[in-house]
Amino acid sequence: MPLPTVVQVVVDKPLSQGFDYLWDLEKLGLPPEIGHIVEVPFGRSSLVGMVIKVSTHSDFEIDKLKTVTQVAPLVPIDPAALRLMNFASQYYIHALGETIIPTIPQMWKKALDWEKIPKKLVAAEEKKKKTISELNSEGLIGEDDLNEEQKSALAKLRNYSSKGKEFKAILLQGQTGSGKTAVFLNWLSEVLKSSTSQVLLLVPEINLTPQLERRVRAYFPEKKMVVLHSGVTEKERGIAWYEAVTGKAQIVLGTRLAALAPLPNLSAIVVDEEHDASYKQQDGIRYSARDLAIWRAHDVKIPILLSSATPSLETWLAAKAGRYEYIRLDQRARGAHLPKVHLINTRDLRNQYSPGDSGKPKEKSPITKTLAYAISQNFRDKKQSLILINRRGYAPVLSCGACTWLSKCQQCSSYMVMHRAGALGKRPVLSCHHCGLVKAIPSHCPNCGNADLKTLGQGTQKIEDAIEEMWPDQRVLRVDTDSSRSSKGAEELFQEIHEGKVDIVVGTQMIAKGHDYQNIGLVGVLDADGRLFSQDFRAAERLFAQLVQVAGRAGRSGKDGQAGGDIYIETQYPESAVFQYLLRHDVDGFLSHTAKEREEAGLPPFSYQALIHAESKSLDKAIQFLSTLKGHLKSNGLIKTGLRVYDPVPKAVMRVAGTERAQLVIESDSRKQLQEVLEAIDTELRENSQGRISKETRVRWLIERDPINI
């Protein structure tokens, strides 16, 4: 009697083990391979899973094993991609099945539709052939158009990638507008000379994808390119993923989820704006796409380029220490100059408007006199202005002047933000940005009945109104997640800026990153202090990066030897290190200053951290759950020299959607020591849990490696 074929399959469940199934060769029509996507019976239903092992025996009785139902019409996932998933599962303490399966597009997880997929793929290919149009080559910068500094950087990159299968991590640090993108696209053209090579190009946010996509297509009109991010439809994502998995797509451009896409012929990786916090996943498996991309490059022995004007402290220190290759671009491309930085001290009353100022609003303006004068002058110079305020909505809080009532969210420990009519509905509303609760604005105070409710603070909508009142003849455009509910919507807004259809742009951080505006003469930053003081030790680093990025939107064209534009920053603390280093455009100085502070405090990257999250209907239960866990670590001798376990505390936003949240910070001087402790914690918690919910207390828990928010 022939031996049975047994496959081990993982599914999207928080379970550490795989499940054994029989493989019926006659029924399925092909032999099993590791990496096959399959449908299997699971309990009373069916699930899609992946084969991770093929053998002829099982620890369970063969006649009690169920049989694989069907196989997806797809080649097996390549071994390198599976090694990446396995590493991510182990490092981020997440079950293998719930690491792999969520990376598969929905189209390939609907087993009922698998028979229809081949027809969909053929139809999609025919549609592409019919819609191919002539590409706009505007903005295409060939090798001959590069300046000497860019050519030198390109030569180094080509040298790194010409050495065959060899890992190289390279930091490309350059001033905003120094032409980093032109350098790495010309480098990738060399990598893509082989018809089978694949390259992965990561960007931090969806809004940056359309502009870069057009530019990449212009550089590589003959190469098949796919885009992977949450803004594309499930069908588009499913087809793009298929073309990446089968090696048909040579260029894969996407956000963090593209970092886990199977790419059998991967030859180079570029992580643009590598410092950006958006590369860290904040739900499910909380991975860093940048860090996984570096591991992936090391595993398959290829070069990876990390590009940024303001590199993360971790990357910058690695380059300074020689662990990464280091390439710098210190000049702006096309002869443009760096913007001039102006600090407006809002404590100085001379900067404020008085009620009697001619032609100005009667009430105190949210824009200082100095900035208002500069905007008017910029308008006379026929330049566009960009105003950044990192808060959407009209006002962060609605308050009653007669009592202590504030617009608190009933479900969260945060305030409901006021949005004017048109943003989230036909009428003004209060909205919670954490749980999504939307309520009508009360006509009077719910506590005392006072009808005179006032707004506190300001958001993009309020600034937009103020600017329209101050400059009624100028065209104002607001860019935030309310005005652009989709990738397409955002692209249309940015296109209006590029085409010069607006004079003043008001927006959140969406407007600060990566966009190559050609006529911005002035950038204004309001409420810069909002992120200066925070419980997060990375707050100053993020603020500095954002200010450098938004400043870099000004004066990029370099036409007629023009100045580099101006950035005006309103702050009560101009003496702060963030602003002082910004005045001198001294990125290295700021990073060196920050590194010294972190080293003295023993904070990352000079130590390694993890968070144990706990959620419950009761905060006391969540805190007690974490306290018990800390006690277990002590009693079992797991808290050794070099490891610090702090007391559990409520999270910064303690309650979200009615759930109370707490956290336990674990810190170690050794990455390996931290890993061992986290694996012990995972084992302990799983023994007393169903999934990730404690059987006894019903507390939901999660382990997070390398958190970026504490």
Side-chain angles (χ1 to χ4, degrees):
M1 184 177 177
L3 292 171
T5 303
V6 178
V7 294
Q8 191 172 99
V9 177
V10 291
V11 295
D12 188 8
K13 296 287 183 182
L15 304 167
S16 56
Q17 79 277 18
F19 297 88
D20 287 355
Y21 290 89
L22 291 174
W23 187 279
D24 188 332
L25 182 60
E26 187 176 339
K27 174 188 172 184
L28 298 174
L30 76 170
E33 290 186 57
I34 292 172
H36 264 140
I37 297 174
V38 294
E39 181 191 22
V40 294
F42 194 87
R44 296 181 180 179
S45 62
S46 293
L47 291 176
V48 167
M50 184 172 288
V51 175
I52 61 165
K53 185 179 177 182
V54 179
S55 66
T56 56
H57 71 277
S58 172
D59 293 336
F60 302 93
E61 294 179 33
I62 294 296
D63 58 357
K64 291 187 178 179
L65 296 183
K66 296 179 180 179
T67 304
V68 172
T69 309
Q70 62 172 323
V71 188
L74 181 73
V75 296
I77 302 304
D78 69 281
L82 290 175
R83 289 197 301 272
L84 174 70
M85 301 288 187
N86 195 54
F87 168 76
S89 168
Q90 291 177 358
Y91 184 77
Y92 292 105
I93 321 291
H94 220 67
L96 185 57
E98 59 176 354
T99 300
I100 294 176
I101 306 304
T103 69
I104 301 172
Q106 204 61 36
M107 171 176 162
W108 295 94
K109 290 192 286 190
K110 292 180 179 177
L112 290 173
D113 296 338
W114 281 351
E115 288 184 7
K116 305 173 188 174
I117 284 181
K119 290 182 180 179
K120 288 182 181 179
L121 296 174
V122 171
E125 194 62 36
E126 290 299 318
K127 185 178 178 182
K128 278 185 183 178
K129 288 178 183 177
K130 290 178 182 178
T131 56
I132 287 177
S133 58
E134 191 174 335
L135 290 161
N136 183 0
S137 61
E138 184 181 350
L140 193 154
I141 301 172
E143 186 175 347
D144 293 338
D145 301 316
L146 302 177
N147 61 32
E148 290 306 313
E149 196 176 44
Q150 289 173 306
K151 287 178 180 177
S152 174
L154 177 59
K156 290 178 182 176
L157 288 174
R158 285 178 172 168
N159 181 52
Y160 296 144
S161 58
S162 65
K163 296 179 179 178
K165 298 287 284 183
E166 184 179 350
F167 166 69
K168 284 285 182 188
I170 309 141
L171 169 60
L172 177 61
Q173 180 181 340
Q175 299 280 5
T176 52
S178 60
K180 297 183 291 296
T181 305
V183 169
F184 68 64
L185 289 180
N186 276 282
W187 171 55
L188 292 181
S189 67
E190 187 82 16
V191 177
L192 288 168
K193 281 184 177 177
S194 167
S195 60
T196 59
S197 291
Q198 290 180 294
V199 298
L200 174 62
L201 181 48
L202 295 176
V203 292
E205 292 193 10
I206 294 172
N207 299 315
L208 297 179
T209 313
Q211 181 179 330
L212 187 56
E213 180 186 354
R214 287 193 297 271
R215 198 166 174 186
V216 174
R217 288 193 191 279
Y219 267 84
F220 308 107
E222 303 302 319
K223 303 292 183 182
K224 175 162 278 192
M225 171 181 170
V226 296
V227 177
L228 286 171
H229 59 67
S230 59
V232 299
T233 66
E234 283 298 339
K235 181 180 177 182
E236 289 171 333
R237 185 187 164 202
I239 293 170
W241 187 80
Y242 164 80
E243 292 180 336
V245 169
T246 55
K248 292 182 179 180
Q250 285 193 262
I251 304 169
V252 177
L253 169 65
T255 51
R256 62 176 177 263
L257 62 82
L260 294 169
L263 300 165
N265 304 314
L266 187 59
S267 301
I269 302 174
V270 173
V271 184
D272 199 17
E273 310 290 359
E274 69 84 25
H275 65 277
D276 201 289
S278 300
Y279 283 122
K280 184 71 158 63
Q281 175 83 0
Q282 290 300 311
D283 52 38
I285 174 171
R286 301 195 176 194
Y287 65 90
S288 163
R290 179 200 63 197
D291 294 351
L292 285 183
I294 294 169
W295 188 93
R296 187 175 196 173
H298 184 271
D299 178 58
V300 296
K301 297 180 173 58
I302 59 171
I304 178 170
L305 179 70
L306 308 169
S307 174
S308 178
T310 54
S312 63
L313 190 58
E314 290 83 353
T315 299
W316 184 78
L317 287 172
K320 283 287 186 182
R323 297 199 305 277
Y324 294 175
E325 305 295 335
Y326 197 5
I327 302 176
R328 296 181 65 104
L329 297 176
D330 293 319
Q331 301 169 10
R332 274 192 146 186
R334 300 190 290 267
H337 300 287
L338 287 170
K340 186 177 181 181
V341 180
H342 308 265
L343 300 179
I344 303 172
N345 187 345
T346 53
R347 296 198 304 257
D348 188 341
L349 296 179
R350 291 172 296 179
N351 279 319
Q352 305 297 337
Y353 283 120
S354 62
D357 281 346
S358 175
K360 303 300 186 295
K362 290 183 180 179
E363 63 180 47
K364 182 181 175 182
S365 170
I367 294 175
T368 59
K369 194 171 187 176
T370 305
L371 179 55
Y373 177 81
I375 292 173
S376 295
Q377 183 59 49
N378 190 60
F379 184 52
R380 286 192 286 271
D381 293 339
K382 302 189 185 313
K383 297 288 183 183
Q384 295 170 303
S385 298
L386 201 75
I387 308 299
L388 172 72
I389 177 164
N390 229 354
R391 186 180 289 115
R392 64 187 175 98
Y394 188 84
V397 185
L398 193 64
S399 71
C400 173
C403 70
T404 58
W405 180 82
L406 297 169
S407 54
K408 288 184 178 178
C409 177
Q410 296 168 337
Q411 300 182 152
C412 306
S413 54
S414 62
Y415 296 102
M416 300 189 77
V417 178
M418 178 182 168
H419 288 256
R420 72 179 182 203
L424 299 175
K426 295 181 180 179
R427 296 181 179 181
V429 294
L430 293 173
S431 171
C432 176
H433 292 178
H434 293 281
C435 70
L437 179 67
V438 175
K439 294 177 65 177
I441 293 177
S443 57
H444 56 272
C445 174
N447 281 0
C448 70
N450 175 33
D452 186 20
L453 299 179
K454 299 183 183 300
T455 58
L456 298 178
Q458 56 212 23
T460 48
Q461 294 172 1
K462 191 172 185 179
I463 298 301
E464 180 187 19
D465 287 353
I467 286 175
E468 286 177 341
E469 185 179 353
M470 295 169 75
W471 293 280
D473 298 329
Q474 294 195 36
R475 299 163 295 179
V476 182
L477 177 70
R478 176 169 51 86
V479 181
D480 56 25
T481 51
D482 293 332
S483 62
S484 57
R485 284 293 174 186
S486 68
S487 176
K488 182 180 178 183
E491 186 179 358
E492 289 176 357
L493 294 176
F494 289 124
Q495 197 58 36
E496 287 186 39
I497 303 171
H498 293 303
E499 293 173 359
K501 293 181 179 179
V502 296
D503 300 308
I504 302 178
V505 183
V506 178
T508 56
Q509 61 180 351
M510 286 174 64
I511 62 175
K513 301 175 183 177
H515 300 285
D516 192 17
Y517 308 122
Q518 290 299 298
N519 196 39
I520 298 291
L522 178 145
V523 171
V525 181
L526 310 184
D527 193 23
D529 302 332
R531 294 178 67 181
L532 189 59
F533 302 105
S534 167
Q535 77 279 2
D536 183 2
F537 64 84
R538 291 186 178 91
E541 183 184 355
R542 288 180 188 153
L543 175 60
F544 183 80
Q546 185 182 70
L547 293 176
V548 170
Q549 292 289 330
V550 75
R553 302 313 110 202
R556 293 174 71 90
S557 68
K559 294 176 182 175
D560 306 320
Q562 69 174 20
D566 296 272
I567 174 170
Y568 289 83
I569 302 170
E570 295 187 352
T571 173
Q572 293 187 60
Y573 308 96
E575 66 282 355
S576 169
V578 168
F579 304 125
Q580 290 301 310
Y581 282 108
L582 188 71
L583 274 174
R584 303 191 293 272
H585 299 282
D586 188 0
V587 174
D588 287 354
F590 175 77
L591 289 171
S592 180
H593 168 83
T594 305
K596 187 177 179 181
E597 285 188 335
R598 298 268 188 91
E599 188 172 20
E600 289 174 353
L603 290 169
F606 300 97
S607 64
Y608 305 94
Q609 290 181 330
L611 283 181
I612 314 299
H613 300 270
E615 298 182 355
S616 175
K617 291 296 178 184
S618 159
L619 179 62
D620 288 343
K621 275 189 177 182
I623 295 285
Q624 183 57 49
F625 175 84
L626 295 174
S627 296
T628 302
L629 175 62
K630 181 179 178 180
H632 169 79
L633 295 177
K634 277 185 178 179
S635 61
N636 283 272
L638 292 171
I639 303 179
K640 299 176 182 177
T641 303
L643 185 80
R644 296 168 291 281
V645 181
Y646 297 97
D647 289 334
V649 293
K651 293 180 76 68
V653 180
M654 184 179 69
R655 185 172 66 256
V656 170
T659 299
E660 305 286 347
R661 312 185 310 160
Q663 65 185 29
L664 182 72
V665 178
I666 301 179
E667 194 172 77
S668 175
D669 299 331
S670 160
R671 194 191 294 270
K672 182 181 178 183
Q673 183 188 39
L674 180 60
Q675 184 73 20
E676 291 171 351
V677 168
L678 294 180
E679 288 174 357
I681 290 172
D682 185 57
T683 301
E684 166 68 17
L685 293 181
R686 282 185 185 279
E687 285 179 359
N688 301 297
S689 299
Q690 185 173 2
R692 282 199 183 80
I693 300 176
S694 167
K695 293 176 184 176
E696 184 180 342
T697 62
R698 307 307 297 167
V699 171
R700 181 182 295 275
W701 56 270
L702 179 75
I703 299 172
E704 179 180 3
R705 282 296 304 263
D706 305 331
I708 59 168
N709 294 311
I710 290 187

